[in-house]
Amino acid sequence: MAGFYEAINEKAKGIVYDLGTGSGILSTWAVPYSNFIYAVEKNPLVAEKTRSCLEKFKNIFFIEGDARKVHFPEKADLIICEMLDTALIDEEQVPVLNSVLDYLKKDGDVIPQGILNGVEPLHTNTEYLCYEENGKPYHQLLGPLTIYSHYDFRTPINPRGDFKIHMKINKNGMFSGLKITTFTLITPHIICGPTPMLNPPLIIPTEKLDVEKGGEVKLNLSYVMGGGLNSIRTEIEKIS
Ligand SMILES: C[S@@+](CC[C@H](N)C(=O)[O-])C[C@H]1O[C@@H](n2cnc3c(N)ncnc32)[C@H](O)[C@@H]1O
């Protein structure tokens, strides 16, 4: 939250959209620096609360609805869109941004500005895809983090992610899973690693493979950003 606060202080001006406004807190931080803010929330249960939190701000217009379908009457100097989740798989950050980028002024900006994704090979007994919390589920890393993708939210993103990744192995063991970690570039200077509330690392069980220190494994990883965790597919193959 501190990172978002700092970024909004620095970048809010003119016309601002806050897409997936939730509590509306990010919109309220933009109030002193902006002429007008369009805050959009699609979940009706959340929207009821958002409306009452935002009604006292004269330069915020609250819209209950799907941000992909809103016709905004004016272009934005800044789009705030915080529908983040690990690797952007399970939330609508990418489809929403793709559908509103035509509304962004030429010199406009987006908060957050992008993300980096990395993957590590590991041993785990879990058979279910889950988010890591306090070191659970138990897992043992078998190699270093490889950064495999980098997205800039100011340009359209193909929601289909297909990655061929070579992973180095630095321990003998049984490869049975992956850990995906997302780093958020709130701005190019404010980079936020995972927290339990923001993009906790995702543990993905894979087929099993005996690996040795010094070896290398080829990973085919695919998913649809905004397509949900069921869209994740993995294939692993030992190459040395
Ligand atoms: C991670 S929460 C962000 C909350 C907000 N930034 C805050 O600080 O309270 C994402 C929000 O986006 C909303 N959302 C998801 N998809 C949406 C869409 N297509 N259009 C509008 N809101 C959406 C969700 O209902 C949720 O409230």
Side-chain angles (χ1 to χ4, degrees), residues 125-138:
N125 290 331
T126 185
E127 293 182 358
Y128 302 101
L129 205 140
C130 52
Y131 292 100
E132 182 196 352
E133 203 176 338
N134 300 324
K136 293 198 172 101
Y138 167 78

Side-chain angles (χ1 to χ4, degrees), residues 20-23 25-26 40-43 65-67 82-83 92 96:
T21 190
S23 64
I25 182 80
L26 304 183
V40 187
E41 172 56 50
K42 86 164 179 187
N43 182 329
D66 187 331
E82 195 277 284
M83 298 177 195
E92 293 181 347
V96 165

Side-chain angles (χ1 to χ4, degrees), residues 28-114:
T28 66
W29 290 343
V31 161
Y33 311 105
S34 317
N35 296 339
F36 206 73
I37 300 154
Y38 296 88
V40 187
E41 172 56 50
K42 86 164 179 187
N43 182 329
L45 294 174
V46 178
E48 205 183 310
K49 265 271 182 244
T50 318
R51 189 174 285 108
S52 68
C53 291
L54 296 182
E55 65 190 357
K56 63 174 176 285
F57 296 96
K58 297 288 172 262
N59 61 344
I60 300 181
F61 182 61
F62 176 62
I63 301 165
E64 179 181 338
D66 187 331
R68 290 172 299 180
K69 298 183 181 149
V70 173
H71 294 285
F72 296 95
E74 50 194 337
K75 289 200 167 193
D77 295 282
L78 175 68
I79 296 177
I80 302 166
C81 183
E82 195 277 284
M83 298 177 195
L84 297 170
D85 72 294
T86 312
L88 310 175
I89 303 169
D90 207 32
E91 291 250 21
E92 293 181 347
Q93 180 87 4
V94 166
V96 165
L97 280 174
N98 281 346
S99 68
V100 300
L101 276 183
D102 282 348
Y103 286 106
L104 185 64
K105 290 183 185 171
K106 269 207 163 50
D107 58 348
D109 223 327
V110 179
I111 292 177
Q113 202 185 89

